[in-house]
Amino acid sequence: MSILPDEKEVIVERDRYKLHYWHSGNLNNPLVFLIHGAAVDHKQFDQQFPSLIENYQIIRIDMAGHGKSRPLNGKFSIVNIADDIKYILDRLGMDEAIFIGQSAGTYAIQELAFQNPEVVKAMLLIDGTCITSKLSYIESISLKSTPFLFRIWPYANLKQNMVKGSAIRSETRKYLKDSFNKLSRSEFINIWDGISACVHYEPDYHIKCPLLLVYGEQDELGNIKKSMIEWSTREPQAELIVIPDAGHTSNQDNPKFFNQVMITFLKEIN
């Protein structure tokens, strides 16, 4: 039995940045890969870590342009994040993993599953939208206009509004504020440019693995609630669960409820 007693930080050289990831747990256990949302870092899953560490090995990353995986020399891209995830799996000699992601992290997982479905055993997607569905005219205009609006919005006020709109719990808001404040305006906009470009309509595509969709009961960002409800009806393997007393970062706003949902899902898979 091979056990990593603590999270082992690994740094690998990529083309335009140094990618940081953390590996922990019993190496004989199933692998759970955690992918954080936009403008934060791997610590977004601190409250899930204790529930996972006994029965799973865990990888948490700082996506390119986030946390310790900075600076990023060039454009942020969801496709590149999916490539990074596949690179780590190959580096570890892992054939598959279970993926849990929040918001932008769900986009990277979806892109990975689109490109390499064989490596995705199951997905738990938190407060994110489907990147392969057709957008309405209004949704398309809204998505394309976001980077422009962020460029003209006073940065301090933009961050303040995003913190307030993303969480209801004071501890979660503090984490978001601290994370956002580590990024320059140009870094922040670069991330959102990449997110706005990640959608690609695939009319005949369906996810081929177990899929759990969750969203916070009080998540009012964009069309997330509407999109996840509609998404759950299109995918034969999808299940939808609403996290009470939670906003957009529902795994942090209500970690006790979310962790129960997460562990139940993982036990059903394994």
Side-chain angles (χ1 to χ4, degrees):
M1 181 180 294
S2 179
I3 297 177
L4 298 170
D6 300 301
E7 276 196 296
K8 177 185 177 183
E9 182 176 357
V10 182
I11 307 170
V12 293
E13 292 281 351
R14 300 296 276 162
D15 290 341
R16 299 171 293 117
Y17 49 92
K18 291 182 179 180
L19 175 65
H20 290 244
Y21 71 88
W22 289 259
H23 192 188
S24 57
N26 184 336
L27 301 183
N28 295 311
N29 283 341
L31 175 62
V32 174
F33 215 119
L34 303 171
I35 316 294
H36 63 80
V40 293
D41 62 12
H42 71 284
K43 294 180 182 179
Q44 185 173 47
F45 293 103
D46 278 357
Q47 293 166 99
Q48 281 65 63
F49 191 85
S51 297
L52 292 170
I53 191 61
E54 184 175 352
N55 296 308
Y56 300 92
Q57 58 174 309
I58 305 166
I59 289 181
R60 305 197 281 178
I61 72 169
D62 279 355
M63 291 193 291
H66 295 71
K68 289 189 173 183
S69 299
R70 298 166 47 233
L72 166 61
N73 299 313
K75 293 184 178 181
F76 175 81
S77 164
I78 291 296
V79 172
N80 286 346
I81 303 304
D83 290 343
D84 282 344
I85 297 169
K86 181 62 165 57
Y87 172 83
I88 293 172
L89 290 175
D90 291 344
R91 191 172 188 271
L92 296 174
M94 302 295 296
D95 294 327
E96 63 178 11
I98 301 161
F99 291 89
I100 300 175
Q102 193 274 335
S103 195
T106 74
Y107 307 150
I109 294 169
Q110 291 176 66
E111 187 62 39
L112 176 70
F114 180 76
Q115 295 179 17
N116 303 101
E118 72 282 356
V119 305
V120 182
K121 184 175 182 180
M123 294 189 285
L124 196 171
L125 305 183
I126 308 162
D127 297 281
T129 57
C130 180
I131 66 170
T132 55
S133 64
K134 188 175 183 179
L135 299 178
S136 69
Y137 176 77
I138 293 175
E139 288 170 337
S140 179
I141 293 297
S142 176
L143 183 64
K144 291 177 181 178
S145 66
T146 298
F148 170 75
L149 292 174
F150 283 5
R151 280 174 167 81
I152 63 174
W153 200 329
Y155 189 40
N157 184 258
L158 171 62
K159 291 186 290 184
Q160 181 181 359
N161 275 270
M162 290 197 68
V163 167
K164 185 177 180 180
S166 296
I168 64 173
R169 191 165 172 249
S170 59
E171 293 89 341
T172 310
R173 287 183 173 181
K174 183 182 184 306
Y175 165 75
L176 294 176
K177 180 180 178 181
D178 292 344
S179 297
F180 292 174
N181 283 338
K182 293 175 184 177
L183 301 174
S184 68
R185 184 187 187 93
S186 62
E187 288 178 309
F188 196 86
I189 291 173
N190 189 22
I191 291 167
W192 285 100
D193 282 346
I195 290 172
S196 67
C198 77
V199 176
H200 50 97
Y201 178 42
E202 307 293 341
D204 299 319
Y205 173 71
H206 288 283
I207 291 171
K208 301 175 177 64
C209 66
L211 170 64
L212 177 59
L213 305 173
V214 306
Y215 67 86
E217 182 182 30
Q218 299 182 45
D219 187 348
E220 301 298 335
L221 287 184
N223 65 334
I224 288 173
K225 279 186 183 180
K226 177 176 177 287
S227 176
M228 295 197 95
I229 292 169
E230 292 176 350
W231 192 3
S232 69
T233 66
R234 294 194 307 269
E235 290 292 348
Q237 302 206 60
E239 179 183 3
L240 178 68
I241 294 179
V242 180
I243 308 297
D245 303 315
H248 181 62
T249 49
S250 56
N251 64 300
Q252 292 177 283
D253 272 345
N254 193 345
K256 182 177 180 180
F257 190 95
F258 175 83
N259 288 350
Q260 291 172 345
V261 169
M262 175 183 69
I263 293 302
T264 299
F265 178 66
L266 294 176
K267 286 181 177 179
E268 290 173 352
I269 295 167
N270 293 300

